[in-house]
Each structure stands twice: as C-alpha cells, then as structure tokens.
Amino acid sequence: MPQTTALIQQAANQCQSRGVRFTPIRRKVLELIAHSGGGLKAYDLLDQLSTEHAAARPPTVYRALDFLIEQGLVHRIESQNAYVACACPEHAHGFQLLICRICGYVEELHLDDIGAQLAAKANDKGFKVERQTIELQGLCAHCQSAAE
C-alpha cells in the first residue's frame, strides 16, 4: 500500500527529528495497524506479529503501542479497546473519530474548536481535563449504500 509506505516513512522521519528510536518492532506494529484499515486489538496485533517475531509477547506489543501513542502515530479507540493509525501525525491537536459500526472503518477528524470548547467549559467548572476522547459511531457512506 503506497499510503502505508508514506505513513511509515513519515513516522520514521518524525521519530528521527525527535531523537526517539523507531525500532523494527515499533515499525512493524505501526505497519500492521495501518494495513488493517480499521481498529486492531492488541491481541490481534500479537497474533500477527508473532508470525515474524516468535519472541513477541503482550508486553512487547503494549510497549510498542504506548510509544506509538506517545508519538502521536496511533490513536486508541476507547470504545473498542483497539488501535488505529493516525492519518496525519504532524497534527498536534485533538482529534475525533468516526467509526462505522458495521465494517469497522475509522476516519479521523480534527475539529480543534470542539476540544477547546470542552476544555474551556470543564475549566469553568474547576475541572482539569487530562484526556479527551470523542468517538462518533454510525454508518459509513459505503455501508449506508449497501443497506439501501
């Protein structure tokens, strides 16, 4: 997939510019997630990873996922306990996810004003937001067409 290749190259460049290691395991985990097209669970990642890396164990996958999330290369889909590649890792602000409940397609949005509005309202109430997750579940255009 050319898009996946570009995403991996961008991730490698971003890691290099930040002075962090983009190890072969981290690269492979990102490739697997990017190829999935939707959310991928950690144990599904482990199953796929262990075909090439027999020594891979759950901590290996979770450490790689933690790194990729920290670097903004992967997002966690909270409602599914799954992971999706970030479509634009250079975007440093909040994100929202559109998730198709039939095919699992995930699309990332960047409506920064929504996150800022929520944080401001929380601040007005004396609440400090540490993490914000906005997931919209429904039907993608393809699944809507198929249902008609």
Side-chain angles (χ1 to χ4, degrees):
M1 271 186 192
Q3 191 174 21
T4 300
T5 303
L7 183 74
I8 299 301
Q9 188 56 54
Q10 182 179 10
N13 294 342
Q14 188 170 310
C15 289
Q16 183 177 12
S17 71
R18 292 178 178 173
V20 295
R21 292 186 59 225
F22 192 48
T23 64
I25 293 287
R26 293 169 176 172
R27 176 184 298 267
K28 186 62 179 176
V29 168
L30 182 56
E31 286 174 2
L32 292 170
I33 293 171
H35 278 293
S36 74
L40 198 57
K41 295 181 181 281
Y43 277 89
D44 294 332
L45 275 167
L46 180 60
D47 288 344
Q48 292 179 35
L49 189 62
S50 63
T51 62
E52 291 181 32
H53 301 277
R57 299 287 178 258
T60 307
V61 171
Y62 284 110
R63 279 193 300 269
L65 288 168
D66 287 344
F67 171 85
L68 295 169
I69 290 169
E70 183 180 300
Q71 297 305 314
L73 302 170
V74 165
H75 299 303
R76 184 169 186 263
I77 304 171
E78 300 286 338
S79 62
Q80 298 176 359
N81 196 21
Y83 302 87
V84 64
C86 178
C88 47
E90 73 284 352
H91 193 272
H93 304 290
F95 63 93
Q96 302 81 37
L97 298 175
L98 301 176
I99 305 165
C100 181
R101 65 178 171 77
I102 293 180
C103 71
Y105 171 77
V106 178
E107 186 171 339
E108 184 176 335
L109 302 175
H110 293 282
L111 303 172
D112 298 330
D113 54 332
I114 289 174
Q117 288 176 20
L118 289 170
K121 283 289 187 191
N123 190 47
D124 289 348
K125 304 278 185 190
F127 188 85
K128 182 182 180 218
V129 176
E130 294 177 345
R131 189 171 90 196
Q132 187 181 112
T133 303
I134 300 174
E135 298 178 5
L136 304 165
Q137 297 196 15
L139 298 177
C140 69
H142 176 75
C143 290
Q144 287 179 62
S145 296
E148 293 175 355

